[in-house]
Amino acid sequence: MKHVILLIVLCLPAWGCDTYPKDPRNTLKTATGGTLRVGYSENPPWVIKTDSVPTGIEANLVKAFAATLKAQVAWHNDTEQNLFEDLEKQKLHLVIAGITDNNPWKKKVGLTRPFVETGEKKHVMAAIQGENAFIVRLERFLHEHEQAINARVQP
């Protein structure tokens, strides 16, 4: 009987667990097969504004990432300040703008791990803070494409 009670006590914490990492706002689930809302601000060669959809290193990465989610991308162009405010309010899923890991918004939004370094700058993408499943999925994608990214960035 003691063993049964011990087993139950040890398993109790696991019963409340389903999948990790979690997305409290279901960003990955919402975007998958749906729409990935991406804010961008022009910063060549990372993001280049065009008459239709943006291009550049990060914009092309986002398009490829969205394809892995079978998601359409809804692009929103604005200033970095406005984009980060919209990200903080969960109006966007992701922000790209040649962002580096020393960004002043890093305490209010989620940043990916650096996916490429240029000189002393470590480039990241910004997502909704706490949406860890989404960020991990994005980081895995960026890691899988690391060689191609470095080839595109290096002179």
Side-chain angles (χ1 to χ4, degrees), residues 57 115-116 145-155:
I57 296 167
F115 62 89
V116 70
H145 294 82
E146 185 176 357
Q147 288 182 335
I149 297 167
N150 281 319
R152 178 87 193 271
V153 172
Q154 303 307 322

Side-chain angles (χ1 to χ4, degrees), residues 49-61:
K49 185 178 177 183
T50 69
D51 290 336
S52 56
V53 298
T55 62
I57 296 167
E58 290 179 359
N60 293 337
L61 286 168

Side-chain angles (χ1 to χ4, degrees), residues 2-147:
K2 289 181 184 179
H3 295 308
V4 173
I5 293 172
L6 180 61
L7 182 60
I8 290 172
V9 169
L10 291 174
C11 291
L12 277 176
W15 284 338
C17 304
D18 43 6
T19 57
Y20 282 95
K22 289 196 173 282
D23 272 354
R25 292 173 191 86
N26 295 312
T27 299
L28 182 59
K29 185 177 179 180
T30 301
T32 301
T35 302
L36 181 64
R37 298 184 318 266
V38 181
Y40 72 96
S41 184
E42 186 170 46
N43 185 356
W46 306 102
V47 183
I48 302 166
K49 185 178 177 183
T50 69
D51 290 336
S52 56
V53 298
T55 62
I57 296 167
E58 290 179 359
N60 293 337
L61 286 168
V62 167
K63 292 172 196 173
F65 175 65
T68 69
L69 300 177
K70 296 179 176 40
Q72 299 295 317
V73 180
W75 296 100
H76 303 276
N77 178 248
D78 209 333
T79 65
E80 281 189 44
Q81 177 71 28
N82 289 341
L83 292 173
F84 281 114
E85 288 174 5
D86 285 348
L87 186 61
E88 187 179 29
K89 295 173 188 170
Q90 296 104 42
K91 292 180 180 179
L92 299 171
H93 296 130
L94 188 63
V95 170
I96 58 172
I99 303 163
T100 58
D101 67 343
N102 64 352
N103 187 287
W105 280 85
K106 66 184 173 186
K107 293 182 180 178
K108 296 183 178 188
V109 301
L111 299 180
T112 63
R113 290 180 295 190
F115 62 89
V116 70
E117 292 185 35
T118 56
E120 293 182 18
K121 294 181 180 180
K122 297 177 181 180
H123 290 270
V124 297
M125 293 184 186
I128 298 170
Q129 190 174 48
E131 294 302 276
N132 298 324
F134 177 77
I135 293 171
V136 166
R137 179 79 175 264
L138 176 58
E139 286 178 339
R140 285 183 183 150
F141 171 84
L142 293 170
H143 179 72
E144 290 168 3
H145 294 82
E146 185 176 357
Q147 288 182 335

